[in-house]
Amino acid sequence: MSVKELREGIEEGKVLFGIRQALKLGKKAGNVFIAKDTRDETVEKLEKAGIEFDVLKSKIDLTKELNLDFECEVFSIK
């Protein structure tokens, strides 16, 4: 799982941003990614919900690589 997969998902409109969206999708989410500098509380919420996730780069690096105009900790692909 990689930044490339996220970039393709964004282009196709399949990526949801944020912890709330990931929790709404739950285990139906295809993949969930988090930034390596995600807050501990966010990680705990995902783990408590039983959602598996992959850890990627820092929020700043992801923002640059994905060409976003905001920082995000959690990305879900539906």
Coordinates of all heavy atoms in Angstrom, one line a residue:
M1 N 0.8 -1.2 0.0 CA 0.0 0.0 0.0 C 0.9 1.2 0.0 O 1.9 1.3 0.7 CB -0.9 0.0 1.2 CG -1.7 -1.3 1.4 SD -2.6 -1.6 -0.1 CE -2.5 -3.4 -0.2
S2 N 0.5 2.2 -0.8 CA 1.4 3.3 -0.9 C 0.7 4.6 -1.2 O -0.5 4.7 -1.3 CB 2.4 3.0 -2.1 OG 1.6 3.0 -3.3
V3 N 1.5 5.6 -1.3 CA 1.0 6.9 -1.7 C 0.4 6.9 -3.1 O -0.5 7.6 -3.4 CB 2.2 8.0 -1.6 CG1 1.7 9.3 -2.0 CG2 2.7 8.0 -0.1
K4 N 1.0 6.1 -3.9 CA 0.5 5.9 -5.3 C -0.9 5.5 -5.3 O -1.7 6.0 -6.1 CB 1.4 5.0 -6.1 CG 0.9 4.8 -7.5 CD 1.8 3.7 -8.2 CE 1.2 3.5 -9.6 NZ 1.8 2.3 -10.2
E5 N -1.3 4.5 -4.5 CA -2.6 4.0 -4.4 C -3.6 5.1 -3.9 O -4.7 5.3 -4.4 CB -2.7 2.8 -3.4 CG -4.0 2.2 -3.4 CD -4.0 0.9 -2.5 OE1 -2.9 0.5 -2.0 OE2 -5.1 0.4 -2.3
L6 N -3.1 5.9 -2.9 CA -3.9 7.1 -2.5 C -4.1 8.1 -3.6 O -5.2 8.6 -3.8 CB -3.3 7.8 -1.3 CG -3.6 7.2 0.1 CD1 -2.7 7.9 1.1 CD2 -5.0 7.3 0.4
R7 N -3.1 8.4 -4.3 CA -3.2 9.4 -5.4 C -4.2 8.9 -6.4 O -5.0 9.7 -6.9 CB -1.8 9.6 -6.0 CG -1.7 10.8 -7.0 CD -0.4 11.0 -7.6 NE 0.6 11.3 -6.5 CZ 1.7 10.6 -6.3 NH1 2.0 9.6 -7.0 NH2 2.5 11.0 -5.3
E8 N -4.1 7.7 -6.8 CA -5.1 7.1 -7.8 C -6.5 7.2 -7.2 O -7.4 7.5 -8.0 CB -4.7 5.7 -8.2 CG -3.4 5.6 -9.0 CD -2.9 4.2 -9.1 OE1 -3.5 3.2 -8.6 OE2 -1.9 4.0 -9.8
G9 N -6.7 6.8 -6.0 CA -8.0 6.9 -5.3 C -8.6 8.3 -5.3 O -9.8 8.5 -5.5
I10 N -7.7 9.3 -5.0 CA -8.2 10.7 -5.0 C -8.7 11.1 -6.4 O -9.7 11.7 -6.6 CB -7.1 11.6 -4.5 CG1 -6.8 11.4 -3.0 CG2 -7.4 13.1 -4.8 CD1 -5.6 12.1 -2.5
E11 N -7.9 10.7 -7.4 CA -8.3 11.0 -8.8 C -9.6 10.3 -9.2 O -10.4 10.9 -9.9 CB -7.2 10.6 -9.8 CG -5.9 11.4 -9.7 CD -4.8 10.8 -10.5 OE1 -5.0 9.8 -11.2 OE2 -3.7 11.4 -10.4
E12 N -9.9 9.2 -8.7 CA -11.1 8.4 -9.0 C -12.3 8.8 -8.0 O -13.4 8.4 -8.2 CB -10.9 6.9 -8.9 CG -9.9 6.4 -9.9 CD -9.5 5.0 -9.6 OE1 -10.1 4.3 -8.7 OE2 -8.6 4.5 -10.3
G13 N -12.0 9.6 -7.0 CA -13.0 10.1 -6.1 C -13.4 9.0 -5.1 O -14.5 9.0 -4.5
K14 N -12.5 8.1 -4.8 CA -12.7 7.0 -3.8 C -12.1 7.2 -2.5 O -12.2 6.3 -1.6 CB -12.2 5.7 -4.4 CG -12.9 5.3 -5.7 CD -12.4 3.9 -6.2 CE -13.2 3.5 -7.4 NZ -12.7 2.2 -7.9
V15 N -11.4 8.3 -2.2 CA -10.8 8.5 -0.9 C -11.6 9.4 0.0 O -12.1 10.4 -0.5 CB -9.4 9.1 -1.2 CG1 -8.7 9.4 0.2 CG2 -8.5 8.1 -1.9
L16 N -11.7 8.9 1.2 CA -12.4 9.8 2.2 C -11.3 10.2 3.2 O -10.4 9.4 3.5 CB -13.5 8.9 2.9 CG -14.6 8.4 2.0 CD1 -15.5 7.5 2.8 CD2 -15.4 9.5 1.4
F17 N -11.5 11.4 3.7 CA -10.5 12.0 4.6 C -11.0 12.1 6.0 O -12.1 12.5 6.2 CB -10.1 13.4 4.1 CG -9.5 13.4 2.7 CD1 -10.4 13.6 1.6 CD2 -8.2 13.2 2.4 CE1 -9.9 13.6 0.3 CE2 -7.7 13.2 1.2 CZ -8.6 13.4 0.1
G18 N -10.1 11.7 7.0 CA -10.4 11.9 8.4 C -10.9 10.7 9.1 O -11.4 9.7 8.5
I19 N -10.8 10.8 10.4 CA -11.1 9.7 11.3 C -12.6 9.4 11.3 O -13.0 8.2 11.3 CB -10.6 10.0 12.8 CG1 -10.9 8.8 13.7 CG2 -11.2 11.2 13.3 CD1 -10.1 7.6 13.5
R20 N -13.4 10.4 11.3 CA -14.9 10.2 11.3 C -15.3 9.3 10.1 O -16.2 8.4 10.2 CB -15.6 11.5 11.2 CG -15.6 12.3 12.5 CD -16.4 13.5 12.3 NE -17.1 13.9 13.6 CZ -17.8 14.9 13.7 NH1 -18.0 15.8 12.7 NH2 -18.4 15.2 14.8
Q21 N -14.8 9.6 8.9 CA -15.2 8.9 7.7 C -14.7 7.4 7.8 O -15.4 6.5 7.4 CB -14.6 9.6 6.5 CG -15.2 11.0 6.2 CD -16.7 11.0 6.1 OE1 -17.2 10.1 5.4 NE2 -17.3 12.0 6.6
A22 N -13.5 7.3 8.3 CA -13.0 5.9 8.5 C -13.8 5.1 9.5 O -14.1 3.9 9.2 CB -11.5 6.0 9.0
L23 N -14.3 5.7 10.5 CA -15.1 5.0 11.5 C -16.5 4.7 10.9 O -17.1 3.7 11.2 CB -15.2 5.8 12.8 CG -13.9 6.0 13.6 CD1 -14.2 6.9 14.8 CD2 -13.4 4.6 14.1
K24 N -17.0 5.6 10.1 CA -18.3 5.4 9.4 C -18.2 4.2 8.5 O -19.1 3.3 8.5 CB -18.8 6.6 8.6 CG -19.4 7.7 9.4 CD -19.8 8.8 8.5 CE -20.3 10.0 9.3 NZ -20.7 11.1 8.4
L25 N -17.2 4.1 7.7 CA -17.0 3.0 6.8 C -16.7 1.7 7.6 O -17.2 0.6 7.2 CB -15.8 3.2 5.8 CG -16.1 4.0 4.6 CD1 -14.8 4.2 3.8 CD2 -17.2 3.5 3.8
G26 N -16.0 1.8 8.7 CA -15.6 0.6 9.5 C -14.8 -0.4 8.7 O -13.9 -0.1 7.9
K27 N -15.2 -1.6 8.8 CA -14.5 -2.7 8.1 C -14.8 -2.8 6.7 O -14.2 -3.6 6.0 CB -14.7 -4.0 8.9 CG -14.2 -4.0 10.3 CD -14.4 -5.3 11.0 CE -13.8 -5.2 12.4 NZ -13.9 -6.5 13.1
K28 N -15.8 -2.0 6.2 CA -16.2 -2.0 4.8 C -15.1 -1.3 4.0 O -15.1 -1.4 2.8 CB -17.5 -1.3 4.6 CG -18.7 -2.0 5.2 CD -19.9 -1.2 5.0 CE -21.1 -1.8 5.8 NZ -22.3 -0.9 5.7
A29 N -14.3 -0.5 4.6 CA -13.3 0.3 3.9 C -12.3 -0.7 3.3 O -11.9 -1.7 3.8 CB -12.5 1.2 4.9
G30 N -11.9 -0.3 2.0 CA -11.0 -1.2 1.3 C -9.6 -1.1 2.0 O -9.0 -2.1 2.3
N31 N -9.1 0.1 2.2 CA -7.8 0.3 2.9 C -7.9 1.5 3.7 O -8.6 2.5 3.3 CB -6.7 0.4 1.9 CG -6.4 -0.8 1.2 OD1 -6.3 -1.9 1.7 ND2 -6.2 -0.7 -0.1
V32 N -7.3 1.5 4.9 CA -7.2 2.7 5.7 C -5.7 3.0 5.9 O -4.9 2.1 6.2 CB -7.9 2.6 7.0 CG1 -7.7 3.8 7.9 CG2 -9.4 2.3 6.8
F33 N -5.3 4.2 5.7 CA -3.9 4.7 5.9 C -3.9 5.8 6.9 O -4.8 6.6 7.0 CB -3.4 5.2 4.5 CG -3.4 4.2 3.4 CD1 -4.4 4.3 2.5 CD2 -2.4 3.3 3.3 CE1 -4.5 3.4 1.4 CE2 -2.5 2.4 2.2 CZ -3.5 2.4 1.3
I34 N -2.8 5.8 7.7 CA -2.6 6.9 8.6 C -1.2 7.5 8.4 O -0.3 6.8 7.9 CB -2.8 6.5 10.1 CG1 -1.8 5.5 10.5 CG2 -4.2 6.0 10.3 CD1 -1.8 5.2 12.0
A35 N -1.0 8.7 8.8 CA 0.3 9.3 8.8 C 1.1 8.8 10.0 O 0.5 8.4 11.0 CB 0.2 10.8 8.8
K36 N 2.4 8.8 9.8 CA 3.3 8.2 10.9 C 3.2 9.1 12.2 O 3.5 8.7 13.3 CB 4.7 8.0 10.5 CG 5.5 9.2 10.2 CD 6.9 8.8 9.8 CE 7.8 10.1 9.5 NZ 9.1 9.7 9.1
D37 N 2.8 10.4 12.0 CA 2.8 11.3 13.1 C 1.3 11.5 13.6 O 1.0 12.6 14.1 CB 3.5 12.6 12.9 CG 3.1 13.3 11.6 OD1 2.3 12.7 10.8 OD2 3.5 14.4 11.4
T38 N 0.5 10.6 13.4 CA -0.9 10.6 13.8 C -1.0 10.6 15.3 O -0.2 10.0 16.0 CB -1.7 9.4 13.2 OG1 -1.6 9.5 11.8 CG2 -3.2 9.4 13.7
R39 N -2.0 11.4 15.8 CA -2.1 11.5 17.3 C -2.5 10.1 17.9 O -3.2 9.3 17.2 CB -3.2 12.5 17.6 CG -2.9 13.9 17.3 CD -4.1 14.8 17.4 NE -5.0 14.5 16.3 CZ -6.3 14.9 16.2 NH1 -6.8 15.6 17.2 NH2 -7.0 14.6 15.2
D40 N -2.0 9.9 19.1 CA -2.3 8.6 19.8 C -3.8 8.3 19.9 O -4.2 7.2 19.8 CB -1.6 8.5 21.1 CG -0.1 8.5 21.0 OD1 0.5 8.1 20.0 OD2 0.6 9.0 22.0
E41 N -4.6 9.3 20.2 CA -6.0 9.1 20.4 C -6.7 8.6 19.1 O -7.6 7.8 19.2 CB -6.7 10.5 20.8 CG -6.1 11.2 22.0 CD -5.0 12.1 21.6 OE1 -5.1 13.0 20.7 OE2 -3.9 12.0 22.2
T42 N -6.2 9.1 18.0 CA -6.7 8.7 16.7 C -6.4 7.2 16.5 O -7.3 6.4 16.1 CB -6.2 9.6 15.6 OG1 -6.5 10.9 15.9 CG2 -6.8 9.2 14.3
V43 N -5.2 6.8 16.7 CA -4.8 5.4 16.6 C -5.6 4.5 17.5 O -6.1 3.5 17.1 CB -3.3 5.3 16.8 CG1 -2.9 3.8 16.8 CG2 -2.5 6.1 15.8
E44 N -5.8 5.0 18.7 CA -6.6 4.2 19.7 C -8.0 4.0 19.2 O -8.6 2.9 19.4 CB -6.6 4.8 21.1 CG -5.2 4.8 21.7 CD -5.1 5.6 23.0 OE1 -6.2 6.2 23.4 OE2 -4.0 5.7 23.6
K45 N -8.6 5.0 18.6 CA -10.0 4.9 18.1 C -10.1 3.9 17.0 O -11.1 3.1 17.0 CB -10.5 6.3 17.7 CG -10.8 7.3 18.8 CD -11.3 8.6 18.2 CE -11.6 9.6 19.3 NZ -12.0 10.9 18.8
L46 N -9.1 3.9 16.1 CA -9.1 3.0 15.0 C -9.0 1.5 15.5 O -9.7 0.6 15.1 CB -8.0 3.3 14.0 CG -8.3 4.6 13.2 CD1 -7.0 4.9 12.4 CD2 -9.4 4.4 12.2
E47 N -8.0 1.4 16.4 CA -7.8 0.0 17.0 C -9.0 -0.5 17.8 O -9.4 -1.6 17.6 CB -6.6 0.0 17.9 CG -5.3 0.2 17.1 CD -4.1 0.4 18.0 OE1 -4.2 0.7 19.2 OE2 -2.9 0.2 17.5
K48 N -9.7 0.4 18.5 CA -10.8 0.0 19.3 C -12.0 -0.4 18.4 O -12.7 -1.3 18.7 CB -11.3 1.2 20.2 CG -12.4 0.9 21.1 CD -12.7 2.0 22.0 CE -13.9 1.7 23.0 NZ -14.3 2.8 23.8
A49 N -12.1 0.2 17.2 CA -13.1 -0.1 16.2 C -12.8 -1.3 15.4 O -13.6 -1.8 14.6 CB -13.4 1.1 15.3
G50 N -11.6 -1.9 15.6 CA -11.1 -3.1 14.9 C -10.8 -2.8 13.4 O -10.8 -3.7 12.6
I51 N -10.4 -1.6 13.2 CA -10.0 -1.2 11.8 C -8.5 -1.3 11.6 O -7.7 -0.7 12.4 CB -10.5 0.3 11.5 CG1 -12.0 0.4 11.6 CG2 -10.0 0.7 10.1 CD1 -12.5 1.8 11.5
E52 N -8.1 -2.1 10.6 CA -6.7 -2.3 10.3 C -6.2 -1.1 9.4 O -7.0 -0.7 8.6 CB -6.5 -3.6 9.6 CG -6.8 -4.8 10.5 CD -6.5 -6.1 9.8 OE1 -5.7 -6.1 8.9 OE2 -7.1 -7.1 10.3
F53 N -5.0 -0.7 9.6 CA -4.5 0.4 8.9 C -3.0 0.2 8.6 O -2.3 -0.5 9.2 CB -4.7 1.7 9.6 CG -4.2 1.7 11.0 CD1 -2.9 2.0 11.3 CD2 -5.0 1.4 12.1 CE1 -2.4 2.0 12.6 CE2 -4.6 1.4 13.4 CZ -3.3 1.7 13.6
D54 N -2.5 0.9 7.6 CA -1.1 1.0 7.2 C -0.6 2.4 7.5 O -1.3 3.3 7.4 CB -0.9 0.7 5.7 CG -1.3 -0.7 5.3 OD1 -1.0 -1.6 6.1 OD2 -1.9 -0.9 4.2
V55 N 0.6 2.4 8.0 CA 1.3 3.7 8.3 C 2.1 4.2 7.2 O 2.9 3.4 6.6 CB 2.1 3.5 9.6 CG1 2.8 4.8 10.0 CG2 1.3 3.0 10.8
L56 N 1.9 5.4 6.8 CA 2.7 6.0 5.7 C 3.6 7.1 6.2 O 4.0 7.0 7.4 CB 1.7 6.6 4.7 CG 0.7 5.6 4.0 CD1 -0.2 6.4 3.1 CD2 1.5 4.6 3.2
K57 N 3.9 8.1 5.4 CA 4.8 9.2 5.8 C 4.1 10.2 6.7 O 3.0 10.0 7.1 CB 5.2 9.9 4.5 CG 5.9 9.0 3.5 CD 6.2 9.7 2.3 CE 6.9 8.7 1.3 NZ 7.4 9.4 0.1
S58 N 4.9 11.2 7.1 CA 4.3 12.3 7.9 C 3.2 13.1 7.2 O 3.1 13.0 6.0 CB 5.5 13.2 8.4 OG 5.9 14.0 7.2
K59 N 2.4 13.8 8.0 CA 1.3 14.6 7.5 C 1.8 15.6 6.5 O 1.2 15.8 5.4 CB 0.6 15.3 8.6 CG -0.2 14.4 9.5 CD -1.0 15.2 10.5 CE -0.1 15.3 11.7 NZ -0.8 15.9 12.9
I60 N 2.9 16.2 6.8 CA 3.5 17.2 5.9 C 3.9 16.6 4.5 O 3.6 17.2 3.5 CB 4.7 18.0 6.5 CG1 4.1 18.8 7.7 CG2 5.4 18.9 5.5 CD1 5.2 19.5 8.5
D61 N 4.6 15.5 4.6 CA 5.0 14.8 3.4 C 3.9 14.3 2.5 O 3.9 14.5 1.3 CB 5.9 13.6 3.7 CG 7.3 14.0 4.3 OD1 7.7 15.2 4.1 OD2 7.9 13.2 4.9
L62 N 2.8 13.8 3.2 CA 1.7 13.3 2.5 C 0.9 14.5 1.8 O 0.5 14.4 0.7 CB 0.7 12.6 3.4 CG 1.2 11.2 3.8 CD1 0.2 10.7 4.9 CD2 1.2 10.3 2.7
T63 N 0.8 15.6 2.5 CA 0.2 16.8 2.0 C 0.9 17.3 0.7 O 0.2 17.5 -0.3 CB 0.2 18.0 3.0 OG1 -0.5 17.5 4.2 CG2 -0.4 19.2 2.5
K64 N 2.2 17.3 0.7 CA 3.0 17.7 -0.5 C 2.8 16.7 -1.6 O 2.6 17.0 -2.8 CB 4.4 17.8 -0.1 CG 4.7 19.0 0.7 CD 6.2 19.1 1.1 CE 6.5 20.2 2.1 NZ 7.9 20.3 2.5
E65 N 3.0 15.4 -1.3 CA 3.0 14.3 -2.3 C 1.6 14.2 -3.0 O 1.5 13.8 -4.2 CB 3.5 13.0 -1.8 CG 5.0 13.0 -1.6 CD 5.5 11.6 -1.3 OE1 5.0 10.6 -1.9 OE2 6.4 11.5 -0.4
L66 N 0.6 14.4 -2.2 CA -0.8 14.2 -2.7 C -1.4 15.5 -3.3 O -2.5 15.6 -3.7 CB -1.7 13.7 -1.6 CG -1.4 12.3 -1.1 CD1 -2.3 11.9 0.0 CD2 -1.5 11.2 -2.3
N67 N -0.6 16.6 -3.1 CA -0.9 17.9 -3.6 C -2.2 18.4 -3.0 O -3.2 18.9 -3.7 CB -1.0 17.9 -5.2 CG -1.0 19.3 -5.7 OD1 -0.5 20.2 -5.1 ND2 -1.6 19.5 -6.9
L68 N -2.3 18.3 -1.7 CA -3.5 18.7 -0.9 C -3.3 20.1 -0.4 O -2.1 20.5 -0.2 CB -3.8 17.7 0.2 CG -4.1 16.3 -0.1 CD1 -4.2 15.4 1.1 CD2 -5.3 16.2 -1.0
D69 N -4.3 20.8 -0.1 CA -4.2 22.1 0.5 C -4.6 22.1 2.0 O -4.9 23.1 2.6 CB -5.0 23.2 -0.2 CG -6.5 22.8 -0.3 OD1 -6.9 21.7 0.1 OD2 -7.3 23.6 -0.8
F70 N -4.6 20.9 2.6 CA -4.8 20.7 4.0 C -4.1 19.4 4.5 O -3.7 18.6 3.7 CB -6.3 20.5 4.2 CG -6.9 19.3 3.5 CD1 -7.0 18.1 4.1 CD2 -7.4 19.5 2.2 CE1 -7.5 17.0 3.4 CE2 -7.9 18.4 1.5 CZ -8.0 17.2 2.1
E71 N -3.9 19.4 5.8 CA -3.2 18.2 6.4 C -4.3 17.2 6.8 O -5.3 17.6 7.3 CB -2.3 18.6 7.6 CG -1.1 19.3 7.2 CD -0.2 19.5 8.4 OE1 -0.5 19.1 9.5 OE2 0.9 20.1 8.2
C72 N -4.0 15.9 6.7 CA -4.9 14.9 7.1 C -4.1 13.7 7.7 O -3.0 13.4 7.3 CB -5.7 14.4 5.9 SG -7.0 13.2 6.3
E73 N -4.7 13.2 8.8 CA -4.0 12.0 9.5 C -4.5 10.7 9.0 O -3.8 9.7 9.0 CB -4.3 12.1 11.0 CG -3.8 13.3 11.7 CD -4.1 13.3 13.2 OE1 -5.2 12.9 13.6 OE2 -3.1 13.6 13.9
V74 N -5.8 10.6 8.6 CA -6.4 9.3 8.2 C -7.0 9.4 6.8 O -7.8 10.4 6.5 CB -7.5 9.0 9.2 CG1 -8.1 7.6 8.9 CG2 -6.9 8.9 10.6
F75 N -6.7 8.4 6.0 CA -7.3 8.3 4.7 C -8.0 7.0 4.5 O -7.4 5.9 4.9 CB -6.2 8.4 3.6 CG -5.3 9.7 3.7 CD1 -4.2 9.7 4.5 CD2 -5.7 10.8 3.0 CE1 -3.4 10.8 4.6 CE2 -4.9 11.9 3.0 CZ -3.8 12.0 3.9
S76 N -9.2 6.9 4.0 CA -9.9 5.7 3.7 C -10.2 5.5 2.3 O -10.6 6.5 1.6 CB -11.2 5.6 4.5 OG -11.0 5.9 5.9
I77 N -10.0 4.3 1.7 CA -10.4 4.1 0.4 C -11.7 3.2 0.4 O -11.7 2.2 1.0 CB -9.3 3.4 -0.4 CG1 -8.1 4.3 -0.5 CG2 -9.8 3.0 -1.8 CD1 -6.9 3.7 -1.2
K78 N -12.7 3.7 -0.3 CA -14.0 3.0 -0.2 C -14.1 2.1 -1.5 O -13.4 2.2 -2.4 CB -15.2 3.9 -0.2 CG -15.3 5.0 -1.2 CD -16.5 5.8 -1.0 CE -16.5 6.9 -2.0 NZ -17.7 7.7 -2.0

